[in-house]
Amino acid sequence: MASLLPVPEVSMPLVLNLSSSPSLWTLFTVNRPLLYKQRRKIQSSFPLLTTMAVHTQGGLSISSLNTHELAPKREKIELETDAISILNERIRRDHGKKEATRPVMDSQEADKYIQMVKEQQQKGLEKLKGYRENKEGGVFSYKVDPYTLRSGDYVVHKKVGVGRFVGIKFDVRKASTEPIEYVFIEYADGMAKLPVKQASRMLYRYNLPNETKKPRALSKLNDTSVWERRKTKGKVAIQKMVVDLMELYLHRLKQKRSPYPTSPAMAEFAAQFLYEPTPDQKQAFIDVEKDLTERETPMDRLICGDVGFGKTEVALRAIFCVVSAGKQAMVLAPTIVLAKQHFDVISERFSKYPSIKVGLLSRFQRFGVKQKEKIASFKTSVDVLTLSATPIPRTLYLALTGFRDASLISTPPPERVPIRTCLSAFGKEKVIVAIQYELDRGGQVFYVLPRIKGLEEVMDFLEQSFPDVDIAIAHGKQYSKQLEETMEKFAQGEIKILICTNIVESGLDIQNANTIIIQDVQLFGLAQLYQLRGRVGRADKEAYAYLFYPDKSLLSDQAMERLAALEECRELGQGFQLAERDMGIRGFGTIFGEQQTGDVGNVGIDLFFEMLFESLSRVEEHRVVSVPYQSVQIDININPRLPSEYINYLENPMETIIEAEKAAEKDIWSLMQFTENLRRQYGKEPYSMGILLKKLYVRRMAADLGIIRIYASGKMVGMKTNMSKGVFKLMTDSMISDVYRNSLLFEEDRIKAELLLELPREQLLNWIFQCLAELHASLPALIKY
């Protein structure tokens, strides 16, 4: 990675109540034939046999099994498959890391922050999706215009599911003589037709976030249950994602730093800018200045603007604000070439301020998401400003959801003209003609290949074709000094043709280079191609980008779609739109460590996004309010007695039970840890102890779910709760078992279940345990403040 450091002289960082539990004494049988000291002595003599100890009338006997066997195989299998173990595994998976990092806040504070989240989401929509004029109920629409579809395209009907678009043609309705246009869609069990107006309200493109564009299967017209399940699964996944985003955002809002002071010197620094800022650029200046000088939370803003639209000037003003307050700033660039260019620009711009020192630190290594996150993790209070012409799907996703501040610079500078883009099969004559045209008008040429291998071959070809022209090679594996000298000569105009890899992709500004030739374009990403094309056309001279592929028959469908998108986005200021297309083509990537491909694949990206924005706009409706553990009442008369052999086996039985209750009172994570530690120390608990643990789990899960009382009457189980009907629906939608889902009803302030028959008390407890475990599994998708 490469980094650039404008550094001032001052070095400071920038960027136990048992009301519903059995009495302790009733848990134990009276017979205690073995003293604690005797048991400890036997245990120390046979350290590997603790789980093999069995109680007999004469005291303790040891089985004659191999001393290396800690437990019978049957007991091990039970330990792996019993209900408590399954629940513990889910708790560990869903809550382990998250519980430790979730910000602690009271409900009043949470209300304020949730409102801020909603405002952020609205800003994200207004600023980044303003070009989409079609709005329904305040939610931006991702529906497709049927007239833009091609035969064979996959589409999603919101109520029916995934189908294949066949075409549009006129047909006559029954009891009518006037023909109207219908959209015809093929499904797994037949053909559907619907009026164009209806189709425009219900259809979405089915784009997948991976290489294949074909869905697993088409939906059925006569059985929409499979589609409804897929849509529900997608909805729950989206809700979990929203909560993850919110928790991350709330955590950032909890970080505090003093606002940076404003000073007249900032206006003087801004006056040094040689150009008249565009309206969008002015707004970006205002946004960033407010982030730094008016807020107490660290800045995390995306500046999305086309190549050459003035993003760097936004960064320079932010740097000046920070360093003039006695802080440090770090500029991270993806390549040494760009780092050197930024170093030169910033050194010149800050030359009038001798107290601000600028340094350059670089090495050959491009950096990605992991490296950026590691840098950001050094200091959670660091202000972050990200500049991008085509933000990667991950960054764009955060901006679209509004959980990241964003400013969009879409107005081109007055002197900028669109870049003429030519896409065709490779031919040496085409290359020679293109280069000769640029040389004849006194310009310079970039010649870009996807790999280092092949650079020398192109060099030989061009030296033969242009024997009197200075030509050089540049790539990331050259020595630093050699690469620096080559780039300096190209910038000064001494080298006329630069043969290079995509090391020149990011931000490089050579005013006199106005032709770029990109060979084997099918091997580049869409955003890469857009960035490379942006290396030319930085002045008022018309620029040309020649994109060559070997043979169309060798291109994948995805490569063809990528190139078509690039051709469509020829006008200035379309980097954001292109990034969105890129997201549709190659997907979101990894977001917060979770692969979302399967969730998006259920419904397609466009419907996924619409569901996402709907979920965001109703975020406060999916809030669960827990109740204190001690306030939960379980009106089921079940008081198990522990067998004497297990009591003898426990080091301190009464203290163990008290610890279990304390763990349950604290939280589900503590109860899970207690249970697993107990099993590691003493082996699988007897049946009665399992019942006791399940009762603790039931009470703990009920508290987390906002359930204050559980009772039974005949075949009916009732649970009095504070949850809303919307929360109940999301919980039941996410339940795996149809048995529990179909048995539950929500009535006013309680959940009711009608069982097929009246169960014995212990079986009833098991049923409640399993039912609550499934409801509890939905908590990651709910706001818990």
Side-chain angles (χ1 to χ4, degrees), residues 241-269:
M241 201 182 306
V242 167
V243 172
D244 282 344
L245 284 166
M246 177 171 282
E247 291 184 350
L248 186 74
Y249 185 73
L250 293 182
H251 181 66
R252 185 162 64 86
L253 289 176
K254 293 288 285 184
Q255 307 300 317
K256 300 293 181 184
R257 56 115 172 101
S258 298
Y260 295 92
T262 57
S263 70
M266 290 177 63
E268 294 172 10
F269 181 83

Side-chain angles (χ1 to χ4, degrees), residues 63-216:
S63 73
S64 59
L65 292 179
N66 188 311
T67 56
H68 292 289
E69 294 185 20
L70 295 179
K73 289 184 179 180
R74 185 176 67 181
E75 183 175 308
K76 186 176 181 181
I77 292 170
E78 287 176 354
L79 188 61
E80 292 174 350
T81 60
D82 75 303
I84 291 178
S85 292
I86 294 170
L87 176 58
N88 283 348
E89 180 57 35
R90 197 267 299 164
I91 293 167
R92 186 185 296 106
R93 183 179 65 247
D94 289 349
H95 294 259
K97 294 180 180 177
K98 208 173 295 182
E99 291 296 322
T101 59
R102 184 190 299 164
V104 178
M105 60 182 70
D106 57 39
S107 59
Q108 190 173 12
E109 189 180 27
D111 285 333
K112 180 182 73 173
Y113 283 139
I114 287 172
Q115 186 58 38
M116 289 178 68
V117 167
K118 291 196 69 176
E119 290 173 4
Q120 278 297 105
Q121 177 237 344
Q122 192 58 38
K123 288 178 183 177
L125 290 173
E126 288 172 358
K127 291 187 177 182
L128 295 176
K129 303 301 293 178
Y131 67 92
R132 284 184 182 270
E133 296 179 355
N134 182 20
K135 295 172 69 178
E136 291 187 4
V139 178
F140 286 92
S141 175
Y142 279 83
K143 298 175 182 66
V144 66
D145 179 354
Y147 292 106
T148 64
L149 294 170
R150 295 177 297 181
S151 181
D153 285 352
Y154 291 100
V155 294
V156 178
H157 188 286
K158 203 167 185 176
K159 292 185 177 179
V160 180
V162 183
R164 187 186 290 109
F165 175 75
V166 176
I168 299 175
K169 69 175 185 177
F170 282 93
D171 202 356
V172 179
R173 280 181 173 177
K174 291 181 179 179
S176 175
T177 57
E178 186 178 344
I180 62 170
E181 281 188 300
Y182 284 93
V183 174
F184 287 80
I185 303 171
E186 178 189 359
Y187 288 94
D189 56 348
M191 186 76 71
K193 71 173 187 178
L194 60 159
V196 170
K197 285 186 179 180
Q198 183 184 344
S200 64
R201 295 195 303 267
M202 302 298 290
L203 289 184
Y204 305 79
R205 287 188 184 275
Y206 183 81
N207 291 321
L208 285 176
N210 48 29
E211 292 288 333
T212 176
K213 308 304 294 181
K214 188 176 181 180
R216 296 191 304 268

Side-chain angles (χ1 to χ4, degrees), residues 483-710:
L483 178 62
E484 191 175 327
E485 288 177 357
T486 300
M487 296 308 301
E488 187 68 28
K489 287 181 179 179
F490 187 62
Q492 296 299 325
E494 295 177 33
I495 294 170
K496 299 301 181 182
I497 305 174
L498 184 67
I499 307 167
C500 55
T501 59
N502 62 337
I503 191 173
V504 299
E505 169 192 333
S506 301
L508 195 64
D509 186 2
I510 309 294
Q511 294 284 314
N512 197 43
N514 283 296
T515 290
I516 186 168
I517 294 168
I518 308 174
Q519 189 174 316
D520 291 331
V521 291
Q522 75 281 0
L523 299 178
F524 290 93
L526 183 54
Q528 277 185 313
L529 290 172
Y530 192 77
Q531 292 277 25
L532 285 168
R533 186 174 67 176
R535 295 316 100 218
V536 297
R538 308 297 289 243
D540 55 357
K541 188 183 292 185
E542 186 172 40
Y544 295 84
Y546 297 89
L547 314 182
F548 292 118
Y549 51 84
D551 186 333
K552 267 196 176 180
S553 63
L554 301 176
L555 301 182
S556 66
D557 290 343
Q558 190 186 27
M560 288 297 296
E561 186 173 355
R562 192 184 299 130
L563 297 179
L566 195 68
E567 274 197 303
E568 290 173 19
C569 295
R570 292 186 178 191
E571 297 301 315
L572 294 171
Q574 291 189 301
F576 171 73
Q577 288 90 326
L578 195 83
E580 190 186 30
R581 285 288 300 274
D582 192 23
M583 186 156 57
I585 294 170
R586 69 185 176 111
F588 299 102
T590 302
I591 303 174
F592 305 116
E594 296 181 20
Q595 285 291 345
Q596 303 297 337
T597 297
D599 301 325
V600 180
N602 279 321
V603 296
I605 284 178
D606 287 353
L607 181 55
F608 182 91
F609 255 109
E610 188 159 292
M611 292 166 68
L612 170 65
F613 288 128
E614 182 182 353
S615 180
L616 281 163
S617 65
R618 300 167 56 190
V619 69
E620 77 282 356
E621 296 177 22
H622 295 121
R623 184 174 176 185
V624 61
V625 181
S626 62
V627 296
Y629 175 84
Q630 296 292 354
S631 69
V632 178
Q633 187 177 348
I634 302 175
D635 295 339
I636 299 172
N637 186 20
I638 177 169
N639 298 308
R641 291 177 178 268
L642 302 184
S644 57
E645 56 265 31
Y646 189 66
I647 296 168
N648 294 333
Y649 196 32
L650 295 175
E651 191 167 317
N652 192 326
M654 185 175 291
E655 191 172 318
T656 298
I657 302 303
I658 293 173
E659 285 179 5
E661 185 86 29
K662 285 183 177 179
E665 185 175 3
K666 186 176 181 183
D667 53 42
I668 195 78
W669 177 253
S670 300
L671 182 55
M672 180 272 287
Q673 288 182 308
F674 169 84
T675 305
E676 295 203 337
N677 288 335
L678 184 70
R679 289 178 167 187
R680 275 193 292 268
Q681 188 171 358
Y682 298 109
K684 177 70 166 64
E685 71 278 350
Y687 178 77
S688 54
M689 184 64 179
I691 291 295
L692 172 63
L693 289 173
K694 283 184 179 178
K695 194 168 183 181
L696 294 175
Y697 272 98
V698 164
R699 195 175 178 195
R700 178 67 261 169
M701 289 189 290
D704 292 344
L705 293 166
I707 295 171
I708 58 176
R709 183 186 173 215
I710 300 175

